[in-house]
């Protein structure tokens, strides 16, 4: 008998075809998000679920899915999944690292440049018919080239952002809980420093850490006060890494110059105050939103799901301890 998979939301067709070849697929072919109760109902007979970052795979939901063996997230971040609860039940959780690195780094730069050079504000100005003539001080922004970029988190995406900074002749600082090989530091001309020094010295602070207990509100009042009044905060990681109320206050009071946000504390709700601020660029969580990339992310999750259900080893386990150890492990 074929294993059963629940696909929680609309995915690219190639991923569906991969799943349908090997499994009986229960497909929710819509962009609606299921709440916990509806999710539990659909998971009753599922051996695996292919899910997205909007799906609450909490401990309670996992506990109420009696046959579940695999949770396959179409994203690299997996803070919507209680991995500890899954691990305790022997359920494999997989994600989709690698394929979205360059797209997310590109979008980080789009936000950084847009915030520094006031691109959305300038476009709004033009569309509103306010442009009369070239003025020497019209919509002037901040320098990017030659400035200091501070990366909080220096994994795949942080490093890809640093690689782009080479072209802008920037000094790159990074704060990270783990060391980076010296060869990579040299290639990217990046220097590891404590977070407080990074905040004090950077003209652009860009966040690239996953959401964990220890990174929740990593950037709050205290950290914003340490930043230069001319600096910009860029967030393409996860919203709750920033205390958004503190950020709104900091922007209103001119503690920092501006921000570029692709992620928010309670998506899709935008914290009151942010929409009114002209010096913030706001995007609806589109860091990896490139058609080829999203399609690959779907396929990666589907392939890992099929691998698990056909007795192969999934390529991207988040909790590999649940799987039999590899020979060299
Ligand atoms: C991720 O993968 O975690 C992004 O936020 C969505 O691409």
């Amino acid at each position: 008998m074929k294993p059963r998979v629940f696909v929680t939301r609309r995915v690219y067709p190639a991923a569906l075809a991969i799943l349908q070849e090997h499994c009986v697929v229960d497909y929710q072919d819509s962009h609606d998000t299921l709440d916990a109760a509806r999710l539990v109902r659909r998971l009753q007979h599922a051996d695996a679920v292919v899910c997205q970052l909007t799906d609450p795979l909490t401990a309670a939901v996992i506990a109420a899915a009696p046959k579940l063996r695999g949770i396959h997230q179409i994203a690299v971040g997996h803070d919507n999944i209680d991995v500890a609860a899954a691990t305790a039940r022997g359920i494999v959780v997989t994600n989709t690292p690698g394929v979205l690195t360059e797209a997310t780094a590109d979008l980080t730069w789009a936000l950084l440049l847009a915030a520094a050079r006031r691109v959305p504000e300038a476009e709004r100005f033009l569309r509103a018919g306010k442009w009369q003539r070239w003025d020497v001080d019209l919509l002037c922004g901040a320098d990017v080239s030659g400035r200091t970029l501070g990366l909080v988190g220096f994994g795949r995406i942080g490093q890809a952002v640093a690689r782009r900074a080479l072209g802008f002749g920037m000094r790159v600082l990074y704060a990270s809980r783990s060391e980076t090989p010296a060869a990579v530091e040299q290639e990217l001309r990046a220097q590891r420093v404590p977070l407080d020094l990074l905040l004090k010295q950077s003209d652009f602070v860009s966040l690239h850490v996953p959401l964990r207990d220890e990174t929740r509100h990593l950037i709050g009042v205290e950290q914003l006060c340490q930043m230069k009044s001319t600096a910009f905060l860029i967030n393409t990681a996860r919203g709750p890494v920033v205390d958004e109320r503190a950020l709104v206050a900091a922007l209103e009071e001119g503690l920092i110059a501006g921000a570029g946000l692709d992620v928010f504390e309670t998506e899709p709700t935008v914290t009151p105050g942010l929409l009114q601020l002209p010096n913030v660029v706001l995007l609806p969580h589109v860091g990896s939103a490139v058609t080829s990339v999203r399609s690959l992310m779907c396929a990666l999750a589907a392939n890992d799901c099929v691998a698990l259900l056909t007795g192969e080893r999934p390529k991207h386990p988040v909790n590999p301890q649940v799987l039999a150890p590899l020979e060299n492990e």
Side-chain angles (χ1 to χ4, degrees), residues 53 75-77 100 238 285 288 294 297:
L53 50 83
V76 69
L100 48 73
R238 280 293 182 269
H285 202 149
S288 63
R294 287 284 169 84
M297 288 164 67

Side-chain angles (χ1 to χ4, degrees), residues 51-318:
C51 57
Q52 304 187 19
L53 50 83
T54 42
D55 297 315
L57 269 298
T58 59
V61 169
I62 290 169
K67 297 180 68 191
L68 205 59
R69 287 189 279 146
I71 300 176
H72 307 282
Q73 168 96 331
I74 303 175
V76 69
H78 46 76
D79 42 280
N80 58 309
I81 302 169
D82 192 323
V83 177
T87 305
R89 271 264 314 271
I91 296 171
V92 178
V93 179
T94 66
N95 68 346
T96 61
V99 292
L100 48 73
T101 302
E102 304 304 330
T104 309
D106 288 346
L107 199 278
T108 303
W109 272 92
L111 266 180
L112 188 157
L113 289 166
R117 296 300 303 273
R118 304 170 64 180
V119 173
E121 200 183 338
E123 208 219 18
R124 287 195 294 270
F125 174 86
L126 183 146
R127 283 182 188 272
K130 293 183 183 166
W131 190 26
Q132 301 294 323
R133 63 193 162 255
W134 187 92
D135 290 332
V136 74
D137 57 354
L138 178 65
L139 288 159
C140 289
D143 279 322
V144 175
S145 296
R147 295 294 171 164
T148 298
L149 173 63
L151 300 166
V152 181
F154 205 55
R156 286 188 183 87
I157 297 172
Q159 291 181 21
V161 173
R163 189 162 293 111
R164 286 153 176 76
L166 291 170
F168 286 85
M170 295 177 93
R171 174 178 176 231
V172 176
L173 305 176
Y174 74 93
S176 168
R177 64 179 188 170
S178 51
E179 280 184 30
T180 304
V184 176
E185 284 190 343
Q186 268 161 27
E187 183 210 333
L188 300 177
R189 283 188 246 130
Q191 185 192 352
R192 186 170 175 221
V193 293
L195 179 61
D196 55 353
L197 194 67
L198 179 149
L199 294 169
K200 282 181 194 142
Q201 296 199 352
S202 299
D203 299 295
F204 299 91
V205 174
S206 187
L207 306 178
H208 302 286
V209 287
L211 178 60
R212 298 199 185 99
D213 287 345
E214 63 272 24
T215 59
R216 192 175 291 276
H217 284 193
L218 180 68
I219 304 297
V221 182
E222 195 188 320
Q223 291 70 29
L224 291 161
C225 287
Q226 289 178 304
M227 288 174 65
K228 296 181 186 183
S229 60
T230 51
F232 292 80
L233 179 71
I234 310 298
N235 190 6
T236 54
R238 280 293 182 269
V241 174
V242 176
D243 177 347
E244 275 176 5
R245 285 178 187 277
L247 176 63
V248 170
L251 289 162
E252 283 172 353
E253 291 163 23
L255 280 183
I256 66 171
L261 307 176
D262 182 45
V263 288
F264 299 88
E265 271 201 82
T266 48
E267 294 178 10
T269 306
V270 178
T271 293
L274 279 177
L275 288 173
Q276 287 69 42
L277 288 163
N279 52 344
V280 192
V281 183
L282 304 165
L283 298 179
H285 202 149
V286 289
S288 63
V290 172
T291 308
S292 60
V293 172
R294 287 284 169 84
S295 177
L296 273 173
M297 288 164 67
C298 293
L300 230 62
N303 278 323
D304 265 357
C305 177
V306 168
L308 180 79
L309 296 177
T310 57
E312 301 290 316
R313 193 181 171 88
K315 288 208 169 75
H316 305 288
V318 168

